[in-house]
Amino acid sequence: MSNLDALPLFSGVITALVTPFKNGEVDYAAFKQLVETQIKAGVHGLVPVGTTGETSTLSMEEHKEIVRLCVEVAAGRVKVIAGAGSNNTAEALELARHAKTVGADAVLVVVPYYNKPSQEGLYQHFKALNDSVEIPVMLYNVPGRTVIDITNDTIVRLSKLPNIVGIKDATGDLVRMSQLRIAIEPGFSFISGDDPTLLGYMAHGGHGVISVTSNVAPAEMVALYNAAKAGDFATARTWQDKLIKLHKVLFADASPSPTKYALSRLGQTTDEVRLPIVPCADAVRPLVDEAMKAAGL
């Protein structure tokens, strides 16, 4: 395998976009503006309708329209990795087929939640996507939400399938990054799903982050990534120190309510969320304000 062949398909700062709401409906105009703001700030990719996009409370029609609109507005300027996760394999296939039809670059598929499948069940779920839809698939491991952890052995096994191209690792376990990098052929995209540990993740050989923080501080996250990629960890630590309070406080209440509050402070969207998520608690709001100030926002 040449060095060129070994380059990962996805790298950099990839924003896990919020879904703006207004009076209970998806605010598509605000969403389009959010995409433009992110691209202008220099992010490398976008994830519509992931966890941060409140996918679990969107209708199928809303979900599909947001993906279509994201691809349309991005217009090839950055990669679009559409959320296509479900604990129903047939539904995940439907979402993946739609993402391919409208021109998404890949799909992000979470480990099936609630059902608690075995490792063989996980393998067969992702293999069905690999076999049925000709689109790159990024695994999403977030056991804090799904209960089930996709093991390193299963990840290595899946990495051998042609359409499984990478993983979003939201475990915060940096040791796994090194273990997987050694076990998997070059070219697999290792993407952190945990903003606070991005710096360490890249030091272990990771390629970037699917970021919640970059909704609020996209240019700052890009600066942190660029410094780490260049091996300038002193500069990267300076950015980390500016952003660490924001990384943490955006999860001080049920996500994405603090992120939407922060965006409302920036005038980019309302702070509306959908039940069972409720708006950011009054006690958390000043903490978000303080963290945004520390980040220079």
Side-chain angles (χ1 to χ4, degrees), residues 264-276:
S264 75
R265 297 284 282 147
L266 296 171
Q268 293 186 33
T269 180
T270 71
D271 66 350
E272 276 188 46
V273 286
R274 279 185 177 169
L275 287 171

Side-chain angles (χ1 to χ4, degrees), residues 116-291:
K116 298 177 74 173
S118 66
Q119 292 298 311
E120 183 61 25
L122 292 178
Y123 178 80
Q124 293 299 335
H125 173 77
F126 288 109
K127 185 175 185 296
L129 283 153
N130 174 85
D131 294 351
S132 303
V133 189
E134 194 66 36
I135 191 170
V137 175
M138 185 169 288
L139 312 173
Y140 178 15
N141 193 27
V142 57
R145 287 184 181 273
T146 62
V147 181
I148 296 300
D149 180 14
I150 185 168
T151 66
N152 286 5
D153 287 345
T154 303
I155 294 165
V156 172
R157 189 180 172 202
L158 284 166
S159 74
K160 301 178 191 304
L161 299 175
N163 291 323
I164 308 295
V165 300
I167 185 167
K168 175 186 176 184
D169 182 348
T171 65
D173 182 348
L174 298 180
V175 175
R176 292 182 75 164
M177 170 68 252
S178 290
Q179 292 169 329
L180 288 167
R181 180 170 49 76
I182 291 166
I184 291 175
E185 289 291 313
F188 197 74
S189 297
F190 291 105
I191 305 295
S192 173
D194 182 52
D195 280 300
T197 57
L198 168 63
L199 184 59
Y201 194 82
M202 290 191 68
H204 279 259
H207 302 122
V209 63
I210 292 178
S211 173
V212 175
T213 303
S214 59
N215 278 281
V216 183
E220 292 77 8
M221 284 298 295
V222 169
L224 191 163
Y225 165 80
N226 285 340
K229 186 186 178 192
D232 181 1
F233 283 95
T235 299
R237 281 194 300 272
T238 300
W239 283 109
Q240 174 80 338
D241 291 351
K242 284 178 177 286
L243 291 165
I244 191 64
K245 282 186 177 178
L246 194 58
H247 292 332
K248 299 302 285 186
V249 81
L250 292 181
F251 289 88
D253 201 350
S255 182
S257 66
T259 304
K260 283 192 160 180
Y261 168 70
L263 287 170
S264 75
R265 297 284 282 147
L266 296 171
Q268 293 186 33
T269 180
T270 71
D271 66 350
E272 276 188 46
V273 286
R274 279 185 177 169
L275 287 171
I277 307 298
V278 294
C280 187
D282 289 344
V284 173
R285 293 179 182 230
L287 303 178
V288 175
D289 291 339
E290 182 186 330

